Amino acid sequence: MNRTMKAAVITAVNKVEVVDVPVPVIGPRDVLLKIKSAGLCTWEQRIYTGQAKADYPFLGGHENAGEIAAVGELVTNVKVGDRVTMGSSSCGSCRACLRGEDKGCSEHFLNFSLKGGHYGPGGFAEYKVHRSDGVFPVGDAPWDEAALAEPLSCAIHAARLLNARLGDTAVIFGAGTMGLMNLITLKKSGLRVAVVDVNESRLAKARELGADLTFVSDEKIRERIKTAFLGGVDHAITAYGSDAVNQDALDVLNNRGKICLFASAHPVTPFAIDPNVMHNKETSAVGVVSADRQDHALATEMIAFRQINLAPLIDQGFPITDAAEAFHRATSAPSYRVILNP
Ligand SMILES: [Zn+2]
Ligand SMILES: [Zn+2]
């Protein structure tokens, strides 16, 4: 095998360079993955544009699918040639793990750093080292859809923390990739779902993916949602981080409604909640980022068995040599997931 590989590294704000770096060396419990597909997540897009802080050079890439190219001597769950998605690891014995909340395990982000070289999760490269408990077999699903197991796991995680179920109602603010991931998940769970966005073409996509109602955001949005849902909704997910959106979401909740802060906020604006409204309406608020391993396992299984079609959320694929163009595409045009295919 070649000792070096191509990696698409963010070297400065708005600058991506394809460089040769050493192929990572695996330990006894690791696997080496030949990356087939890598999604450009909002987080990496923000690091590229300078909106989110990171040290450069930065090697992103955490929404990955690939083929096992080598396994360490202690690996038993997968073998060379297996097709897998890549998720988090866990120690299995800390308090968080024992409670099934391994998102809180200190090993959760273990796979998202590249040993010996550039800092970052490391998936925008030809190969990636990953601990074997963080890979999940994905059958013969298309690579680009398989790469979206990680973002799908976040939406599944949100639905689980909200305890969203058959007969519930929900509104999702934001019809970008992550808003639509939440839509697909909630529809699959049996909810009646509305999507709000400023962009009509994004709402058309939401309808295509099963949204029961869509609303172009305006100053009457609260009333329109409440009218359509006979008073309010059980769940409001903000897949777009702004105080105005958070306030709209809070306002349209039913008694015992839950608001889910799914998006991070840039810039950060404090989220003011009237304690008496919260008290009287028995409102719950939940924040969501990333996922437990069970969510990633379910996301992968749903993709593997084609219970879910994520193809409409894929914008365009680029070879790794065109990574600069891919980042430009992802951050300039209103796009769904842009994919790198090393
Ligand atoms: Zn992501
Ligand atoms: Zn643990």
Side-chain angles (χ1 to χ4, degrees):
M1 186 189 297
N2 281 336
R3 303 294 303 269
T4 64
M5 62 175 185
K6 299 246 175 281
V9 180
I10 302 173
T11 51
V13 170
N14 290 328
K15 188 160 188 212
V16 171
E17 291 178 74
V18 179
V19 295
D20 289 315
V21 297
V23 172
V25 176
I26 58 170
R29 296 172 69 197
D30 295 332
V31 296
L32 185 69
L33 292 148
K34 188 168 171 47
I35 304 289
K36 296 290 189 175
S37 183
L40 269 64
C41 180
T42 324
W43 173 56
E44 284 128 0
Q45 293 172 33
R46 287 200 181 111
I47 289 170
Y48 170 75
T49 58
Q51 232 187 336
K53 263 180 75 83
D55 291 329
Y56 304 112
F58 178 86
L59 179 56
H62 65 279
E63 299 181 357
N64 289 123
E67 195 178 288
I68 309 268
V71 298
E73 66 233 38
L74 297 178
V75 174
T76 55
N77 61 323
V78 284
K79 58 185 189 312
V80 171
D82 283 0
R83 307 172 90 256
V84 296
T85 69
M86 298 168 218
S88 58
S89 284
S90 64
C91 78
S93 57
C94 71
R95 184 172 189 272
C97 282
L98 292 174
R99 289 165 65 90
E101 299 167 0
D102 48 88
K103 165 70 213 306
C105 176
S106 61
E107 297 191 358
H108 178 77
F109 290 111
L110 178 90
N111 294 316
F112 302 133
S113 62
L114 181 68
K115 291 166 189 168
H118 296 273
Y119 167 76
F124 296 150
E126 290 178 287
Y127 291 92
K128 175 173 172 15
V129 63
H130 214 82
R131 205 171 69 189
S132 59
D133 63 326
V135 298
F136 300 78
V138 72
D140 59 358
W143 286 121
D144 290 352
E145 289 176 55
L148 300 185
E150 193 277 338
L152 177 62
S153 76
C154 303
I156 289 173
H157 188 59
R160 194 160 62 80
L161 294 195
L162 288 167
N163 192 22
R165 56 192 179 183
L166 180 69
D168 288 357
T169 55
V171 60
I172 297 164
F173 292 86
T177 307
M178 293 317 300
L180 297 177
M181 287 274 178
N182 279 286
L183 167 67
I184 291 170
T185 305
L186 294 183
K187 284 310 297 172
K188 204 77 193 163
S189 309
L191 280 78
R192 183 167 172 246
V193 186
V195 179
V196 180
D197 200 280
V198 292
N199 181 323
E200 175 51 45
S201 73
R202 285 183 176 240
L203 292 176
K205 177 81 92 174
R207 289 191 291 275
E208 191 189 308
L209 290 171
D212 298 284
L213 292 159
T214 55
F215 298 104
V216 177
S217 186
D218 62 17
E219 64 287 348
K220 292 254 194 298
I221 189 66
R222 297 179 182 188
E223 280 168 48
R224 289 158 68 211
I225 292 169
K226 287 178 188 175
T227 303
F229 284 94
L230 311 175
V233 293
D234 304 313
H235 311 277
I237 295 179
T238 58
Y240 179 78
S242 93
D243 190 50
V245 165
N246 289 340
Q247 295 300 339
D248 286 343
L250 201 57
D251 186 77
V252 299
L253 288 176
N254 285 331
N255 278 318
R256 289 203 192 164
K258 295 172 187 165
I259 178 173
C260 172
L261 302 186
F262 191 89
S264 57
H266 304 272
V268 177
T269 312
F271 180 24
I273 303 178
D274 180 335
N276 286 332
V277 170
M278 197 158 181
H279 168 77
N280 289 320
K281 289 179 73 178
E282 301 186 335
T283 307
S284 300
V286 57
V288 163
V289 65
S290 193
D292 292 316
R293 290 178 67 240
Q294 60 173 293
D295 304 307
H296 192 95
L298 177 55
T300 302
E301 197 175 297
M302 291 180 85
I303 293 168
F305 290 103
R306 314 293 171 85
Q307 290 174 280
I308 212 159
N309 177 18
L310 299 178
L313 295 182
I314 294 164
D315 178 292
Q316 205 180 331
F318 292 85
I320 197 161
T321 40
D322 294 342
E325 201 187 327
F327 271 86
H328 180 72
R329 163 87 200 166
T331 52
S332 53
S335 61
Y336 298 99
R337 267 302 183 267
V338 170
I339 301 268
L340 280 183
N341 301 114

